[in-house]
Amino acid sequence: MKRIAFARIAQETNALSPVLTTLRDFEASHFVEGDALLAAVQGGREVSGLYRRVELAGFVAAARQRRAEIEPVPIVSAWSPSSGPLSRECFDALEDRLLEGVRRAHRASPLAGMYLCLHGAMGVRGVADPECRLIRGVRAILGGAPLVVSHDLHGNVTQARIAAVDALVAYQTNPHRDHARTGHKAGRIAIGAALGELRPTMAWRSLPMILGGGRTIDFLAPMRAVFRRMHRAERDGEALAASTLMVHPWNDDPHLGWSTVAVTDGDAATADRLADELAELCWARRHVPPPSFQTASEAIAAARRAWVRRRLGCVTIADVSDVVTAGAPGDSTHLMRALLAEASGLVTYCAVRDPAAIGQLWPRAGGDRVALSIGGTLDPEMSSPLPVTGEIVSKHDRHGFGKTVVLAVEHLRIVITEGPAMVMRPAFYTDVGLPIWKADIVVVKNFIPFLMFFVAYNRKALFARTRGRSDFDAAFQLSFDGPMHPRDAVDDWRDRDRIRRGVS
Ligand SMILES: [Zn+2]
């Protein structure tokens, strides 16, 4: 019986956000170790309150298919919503728990390999390429045993990561819906290598490009052809895994950029050719810009005009400058201020993260009239507090969001949260007594996945840009190792790719 360990440390960092991520954020969201982790994964509660079966369930399913030969060994799983960089103490604590867990398992009986699930775009105050540090730490314990890592397709791939792993695989969907399939694929490669049936052989490319490919949706042009090429490579047995990582642009690694990775069974030439071909396909799509967005006033006017659609369901407005699922603080008041002034008569649900306001409101009772300022305190450079007068509708203490107060201010129902306000599913509002069918406008703080979650209600989706940490061009202030598309003119990707990969 061969023992293969598995673990997850995952958070997506917006390096521009001043809101540091602490160990308390992980503990409040998801932090499970040892046998409790295996039980949670097998019980369909892998990331409680968010995901039933994702990467680790996929990995365990791959191990169960070889149950006579493979024993999956749970180490730790920690996940926190996208936000600012991890504090150094938080990272050190997570690294300790991961490495101590792997060391203990390895001492008990030697591990034949490991699957490590990482987001790929995690940042830490004061640590360069922190996920590579985790990978190297595990590698030092495992020795030559196979180590397979998975990334979100917004992860960043670096030479040091590639050097320390046997295989790296990423999601092949955007919006993401193949988490479990990705874990299963990583598991098959780790298991095959541990049993001596596979010889994972990897090639990759790195592009000096942080935006392009239009909306970057896997099943729409212009990226559809790239994803189809990857599927074909895996289906036809050309590769064990093919990945295109379209990068989280607000990650402050100087070598940031889209990348492609191909893993074959012992065929270095094919891996190299495939990674190169995928890189060329991506580079050819670099001039298709991300969507341009309306102003808040334009979006509100469009929502007002869409009265038939509002009657049949709701209009969603994505606050694209304060996308919490892209690590923005969620405390922006720009859109809320415009909704208060310009959306009168339209029942509007919106959200703001403000722990200080929660401190003021929590002792008060439902039905109380209150006057206070909300929002604009976590990130005062981006927006200012909004003075409001309203009535407390209800109070809740919710997993992940923390203490939550619903405030009625004229036509607005404002959901104020203590923790990260990941507003992308109807449950964010329905769980606090705000049925979606009663709303004219529902604000989300998300770019794409909300379209899937709101499909039963949403009759029109609008995207409002104000000013904030998830603006695409906000990433242009980060520093890179050279000219970066689309901020700068870049004629050729190959020179930078060679330098980044360390080949002459
Ligand atoms: Zn992603």
Side-chain angles (χ1 to χ4, degrees), residues 39-363:
V41 169
Q42 292 186 317
R45 340 168 233 109
E46 182 172 331
V47 180
S48 182
L50 194 70
Y51 295 117
R52 288 192 287 271
R53 292 187 77 257
V54 271
E55 292 94 331
L56 302 185
F59 168 78
V60 169
R64 293 300 181 217
Q65 284 165 351
R66 307 293 296 264
R67 67 176 68 237
E69 302 137 294
I70 298 294
E71 180 196 352
V73 180
I75 306 292
V76 61
S77 177
W79 177 90
S80 180
S82 298
S83 187
L86 274 63
S87 70
R88 186 62 199 261
E89 300 74 50
C90 173
F91 177 72
D92 289 349
L94 294 173
E95 183 185 35
D96 264 9
R97 301 291 271 272
L98 171 69
L99 299 184
E100 193 38 54
V102 177
R103 234 176 259 125
R104 204 177 317 120
H106 196 52
R107 263 200 310 267
S109 172
L111 294 170
M114 175 146 185
Y115 164 49
L116 181 58
C117 172
L118 301 172
H119 183 284
M122 186 174 85
V124 178
R125 236 343 119 72
V127 180
D129 200 353
E131 286 161 307
C132 186
R133 220 176 112 137
L134 300 179
I135 292 169
R136 284 176 165 170
V138 169
R139 169 57 77 204
I141 301 167
L142 285 183
L147 170 58
V148 178
V149 164
S150 71
H151 276 351
D152 182 293
L153 64 64
H154 295 107
N156 188 47
V157 178
T158 62
Q159 185 191 359
R161 294 185 202 190
I162 293 286
V165 303
D166 293 270
L168 190 147
V169 305
Y171 302 156
Q172 291 177 328
T173 56
N174 190 40
H176 311 322
R177 49 201 190 281
D178 63 337
H179 309 70
R181 188 146 43 86
T182 303
H184 194 266
K185 194 191 302 178
R188 279 200 322 268
I189 296 172
I191 291 164
L195 294 173
E197 299 167 351
L198 294 176
R199 287 179 300 138
T201 302
M202 200 165 32
W204 72 296
R205 295 291 185 271
S206 177
L207 299 160
M209 157 183 181
I210 53 169
L211 293 169
R215 284 189 284 171
T216 67
I217 291 178
D218 62 285
F219 51 84
L220 297 179
M223 290 309 295
R224 180 173 49 203
V226 183
F227 286 86
R228 280 191 176 161
R229 179 67 187 92
M230 294 194 286
H231 295 149
R232 181 155 62 83
E234 292 183 7
R235 194 186 54 229
D236 296 352
E238 184 183 356
L240 298 170
S243 307
T244 293
L245 295 98
M246 302 188 289
V247 105
H248 181 66
W250 307 278
N251 205 212
D252 72 343
D253 191 311
H255 311 298
L256 197 64
W258 285 34
S259 61
T260 63
V261 183
V263 183
T264 61
D265 184 10
D267 185 346
T270 298
D272 200 67
R273 204 164 49 236
L274 180 57
D276 201 89
E277 183 186 339
L278 291 169
E280 283 291 358
L281 290 173
C282 290
W283 191 244
R285 286 159 177 76
R286 72 190 180 284
H287 291 305
V288 185
S292 56
F293 302 120
Q294 293 179 296
T295 64
S297 295
E298 287 164 354
I300 293 166
R304 195 180 283 287
R305 281 194 303 273
W307 64 273
V308 177
R309 295 178 192 229
R310 281 190 278 112
R311 192 160 294 176
L312 296 171
C314 71
V315 172
T316 50
I317 301 184
D319 188 351
V320 295
S321 296
D322 193 28
V323 169
V324 175
T325 48
D331 75 329
S332 171
T333 53
H334 294 301
L335 180 58
M336 202 160 54
R337 198 181 299 269
L339 287 162
L340 190 56
E342 299 165 33
S344 57
L346 302 179
V347 176
T348 300
Y349 297 171
C350 55
V352 67
R353 180 184 187 183
D354 189 339
I358 289 292
Q360 288 180 58
L361 295 170
W362 198 249

Side-chain angles (χ1 to χ4, degrees), residues 451-492:
L451 293 168
M452 295 192 299
F453 298 123
F454 274 88
V455 74
Y457 310 100
N458 186 28
R459 296 295 171 266
K460 188 177 183 67
L462 299 163
F463 297 81
R465 175 178 174 155
T466 56
R467 177 171 167 266
R469 303 294 180 183
S470 56
D471 288 335
F472 290 129
D473 54 8
F476 292 0
Q477 64 189 274
L478 296 166
S479 38
F480 305 111
D481 57 1
M484 179 62 80
H485 174 84
R487 186 188 68 180
D488 314 304
V490 189
D491 296 332
D492 182 35

